[in-house]
Amino acid sequence: KQEVTQIPAALSVPEGENLVLNCSFTDSAIYNLQWFRQDPGKGLTSLLLIQSSQREQTSGRLNASLDKSSGRSTLYIAASQPGDSATYLCAVQGAQKLVFGQGTRLTINP
Amino acid sequence: GAGVSQSPSNKVTEKGKDVELRCDPISGHTALYWYRQSLGQGLEFLIYFQGNSAPDKSGLPSDRFSAERTGGSVSTLTIQRTQQEDSAVYLCASSFDPQGEAFFGQGTRLTVV
């Protein structure tokens, strides 16, 4: 059974810092890994998708890496801004479903 | 459509009543997922459709929950005889294929009183 863990559960940093969110998973037989953002009371917004054959993906200030063999992914956020405050979720795609971690609640302080 | 659409956005129902939640996936997306998110909790998988078939119903919490998908498009999640513990946000997602990027709707907030 696939299990996904995200560390830390919560993170608070001052504006402008670079930061790393971590995601680990137990079963390396995945199709892809996806990072989402969730604002309070809202749905999920897809940030980055990394296929199992890829090592990383970049979008603006975001960079996600994937090491499938060790069951790890990181989301790097550069030059953080208050608007980045949200819960960040990683999810791994198996044969028939996305399995989510519990998320990291990120607060960027002005 | 431009994105995944869910209706209603909010639903308040009395305990014991039946409710239907609707999901319109992105046009052409063959995979469709239902998840549930209780207050302050993570996402709980409910059911997955590939086309009109549901190969994985393992997440449905009880036989009061059922779902169907017609025409490879719209899906409805039905909860019979609702209980207070059913109160949650129900999220739907779709992807072009099971290995593709998943896009979520804004969810239906269900409150059972």
Side-chain angles (χ1 to χ4, degrees), chain A residues 79-101:
Chain A
S80 58
Q81 302 171 359
D84 295 331
S85 297
T87 296
Y88 290 78
L89 295 154
C90 88
V92 295
Q93 176 73 59
Q96 292 177 351
K97 62 184 175 185
L98 281 163
V99 179
F100 283 83

Side-chain angles (χ1 to χ4, degrees), chain B residues 16-34:
Chain B
K17 300 281 191 184
D18 298 351
V19 295
E20 275 192 1
L21 312 180
R22 177 186 170 106
C23 174
D24 280 276
I26 293 172
S27 179
H29 280 196
T30 63
L32 187 147
Y33 308 85
W34 283 98

Side-chain angles (χ1 to χ4, degrees), chain A residues 31-32 34 36 38 40-49 51 89 93-102, chain B residues 33 35 37 40-43 45 48 55-56 58 91 93 95 97-107 109:
Chain A
Y31 289 116
N32 61 54
Q34 206 165 341
F36 294 88
Q38 186 174 33
K42 304 290 187 182
L44 277 67
T45 300
S46 178
L47 297 174
L48 289 164
L49 171 75
Q51 298 290 353
L89 295 154
Q93 176 73 59
Q96 292 177 351
K97 62 184 175 185
L98 281 163
V99 179
F100 283 83
Q102 291 293 306
Chain B
Y33 308 85
Y35 286 83
Q37 188 173 35
Q41 302 297 310
L43 273 81
F45 170 77
Y48 157 74
D56 189 352
S58 64
L91 292 161
S95 60
D97 58 44
Q99 292 81 49
E101 186 174 8
F103 296 89
F104 278 78
Q106 290 299 299
R109 182 177 299 278

